[in-house]
Amino acid sequence: MNKKYWSARIRDCEPYVPGEQPKDRKYVKLNTNENPYPPSEAVLAAARQAANDALRLYPDPVCGDLRLALADRAGLKLEQVFVGNGSDEVLAFCFAAFTDEKTPAVFPDVTYSFYPVYAEFFGAPTRVPPLNDDFTMPLEELKKNDGCIFLTNPNAPTGIALELDVIEDVLRANPDQVVVVDEAYVDFGAESAVCLVDRYENLLVVQTMSKSRSLAGQRVGFAYGCENLISALTAVKDSFNSYTLDRVAQAAGLASVLDEETFREHCSKVVATRERTVRALENLGLQVLPSKANFVFARHEKAAQLFAGLKERGVLVRYFAKPRIDTFLRISIGTDEEMDILLRELESLLQEIGAK
């Protein structure tokens, strides 16, 4: 590709690759960790109501109503909440706000693959300690107080979660550095670090409405932290785009925060299906890492072949052709009916592979 006119920053950057969103046929889509259940009628009604003639006006740049609702739910103050266009944008702002050429980004080798992209784009050096052999976090390597820590909990793509006392150990060991706890999947069984925000001024907790609140299409992310850290994120936002969240997204997000019943119901259903799926996968001979997310990470020596075979049969899962994890499939949790299709096709594939 001709990259004439491109800046050096983007010319040499290797962008993040999202999960497939194919249009060629109808798939059982278990590759992007979306919620299998729709937003509640209350959320949809709020979105419809917001899509009125006021769309000619700019949205609230500070997302005041949404931030206040999030603050109330977390037992924090308005000034301790930041809202952005999906947690990806919030995380990007974290790299811009808390890392630079003298402050590296520190994250493990197997984690959210957007982190190295952000680091390269914003010109931050990195320190990337490897996960332990069992794919748990290399905690001692995250306690060196030498850079901004990015800690995904539960981790992606492994699904393994950390307990709060472990997160506190990391916070105490890094008093001069920000510790960003990325909780995109926390609502499916892990412990949130939001309760620690008032105790640690170096803690920033990032969450999203894409997974547990079925709003991936609206792009609503948010962060909790002390006022100093939130002000830093706001300074970055207002240096890029003051209006990061549109009127419809703000209305839908607010309605979702207020709809606790649907939120809890959907999370419970996903967790129940996850546990059933884990047992079934293990019965088929796959090794499944312990997951507290809305996906599982399942190992098979012929993972690449299984990935391709499932796609041919109309089932999409995620495969990473990367060192250490190229024998794993990441499988999002769908409805019980969708998981039954996955398991049926997977069993058939395994029988075919065994016969060859």
Side-chain angles (χ1 to χ4, degrees):
M1 177 187 294
N2 180 8
K3 295 185 179 181
K4 183 180 180 180
Y5 306 122
W6 293 30
S7 70
R9 175 188 291 114
I10 196 67
R11 185 188 309 120
D12 300 330
C13 182
E14 184 175 341
Y16 172 77
V17 179
E20 292 179 88
Q21 301 279 6
K23 306 295 184 183
D24 59 316
R25 59 181 285 191
K26 184 175 177 61
Y27 287 91
V28 174
K29 194 169 179 298
L30 306 174
N31 67 325
T32 50
N33 299 340
E34 294 149 322
N35 199 306
Y37 304 107
S40 70
E41 185 54 43
V43 173
L44 295 175
R48 294 188 196 103
Q49 186 175 359
N52 56 39
D53 61 2
L55 290 180
R56 66 187 177 82
L57 304 173
Y58 286 111
D60 176 7
V62 300
C63 304
D65 291 342
L66 176 55
R67 287 172 58 219
L68 183 59
L70 288 166
D72 287 345
R73 185 176 185 273
L76 299 172
K77 298 182 296 184
L78 175 70
E79 295 78 13
Q80 294 174 290
V81 182
F82 178 85
V83 173
N85 188 253
S87 61
D88 283 340
E89 180 180 77
V90 178
L91 290 167
F93 288 173
C94 289
F95 275 81
F98 309 125
T99 71
D100 55 34
E101 63 276 3
K102 295 181 180 179
T103 307
V106 181
F107 47 84
D109 63 336
V110 179
T111 191
Y112 187 27
S113 53
F114 226 141
Y115 295 162
V117 177
Y118 289 141
E120 182 178 8
F121 184 82
F122 288 107
T126 60
R127 185 167 68 81
V128 186
L131 290 179
N132 299 323
D133 290 342
D134 61 356
F135 293 99
T136 56
M137 285 288 176
L139 295 174
E140 293 308 312
E141 287 295 319
L142 299 175
K143 295 180 181 180
K144 295 187 175 181
N145 199 33
D146 62 349
C148 180
I149 307 293
F150 290 87
L151 189 62
T152 306
N153 189 44
N155 194 22
T158 67
I160 298 175
L162 292 173
E163 296 180 351
L164 279 183
D165 58 344
V166 174
I167 294 174
E168 282 199 83
D169 286 346
V170 175
L171 286 162
R172 286 192 291 263
N174 292 277
D176 304 315
Q177 304 293 340
V178 175
V179 177
V180 178
V181 182
D182 179 359
E183 294 186 345
Y185 305 100
V186 74
D187 296 318
F188 300 102
E191 294 182 278
S192 174
V194 172
C195 61
L196 303 177
V197 164
D198 279 333
R199 294 168 55 187
Y200 296 93
E201 65 178 8
N202 61 330
L203 169 64
L204 191 83
V205 179
V206 179
Q207 296 186 2
T208 178
M209 295 193 183
S210 294
K211 315 300 182 184
S212 57
R213 294 186 178 273
S214 305
L215 287 177
Q218 286 281 210
R219 315 305 301 128
V220 182
F222 49 101
Y224 299 106
C226 72
E227 187 173 350
N228 175 44
L229 299 186
I230 299 303
S231 295
L233 293 179
T234 302
V236 173
K237 175 182 80 77
D238 289 340
S239 299
F240 279 92
N241 175 16
S242 294
Y243 303 100
T244 56
L245 218 57
D246 63 54
R247 286 178 175 272
V248 177
Q250 290 188 43
L254 175 59
S256 180
V257 175
L258 299 177
D259 187 2
E260 190 74 12
E261 181 179 355
T262 299
F263 162 72
R264 293 191 179 279
E265 176 189 351
H266 287 180
C267 288
S268 295
K269 290 169 73 173
V270 169
V271 169
T273 303
R274 180 188 70 206
E275 297 309 301
R276 183 178 72 87
T277 300
V278 168
R279 293 191 295 270
L281 289 171
E282 290 175 340
N283 287 337
L284 290 175
L286 282 74
Q287 174 196 359
V288 185
L289 299 186
S291 174
K292 293 294 184 180
N294 68 335
F295 59 85
V296 295
F297 208 44
R299 184 178 183 275
H300 191 279
E301 287 299 326
K302 296 183 178 179
Q305 190 173 345
L306 292 176
F307 164 75
L310 286 170
K311 185 174 181 179
E312 288 179 1
R313 294 163 178 249
V315 180
L316 286 179
V317 297
R318 193 80 190 266
Y319 174 71
F320 302 92
K322 295 182 177 181
R324 301 191 69 190
I325 58 173
D326 58 358
T327 56
F328 282 85
L329 298 175
R330 194 196 69 188
I331 304 169
S332 304
I333 301 301
T335 64
D336 284 329
E337 294 77 15
E338 289 173 325
M339 303 315 289
D340 286 343
I341 294 171
L342 162 80
L343 293 167
R344 184 176 66 245
E345 297 298 343
L346 186 58
E347 182 176 15
S348 175
L349 269 173
L350 289 168
Q351 290 173 351
E352 286 186 14
I353 290 172
K356 291 180 180 179

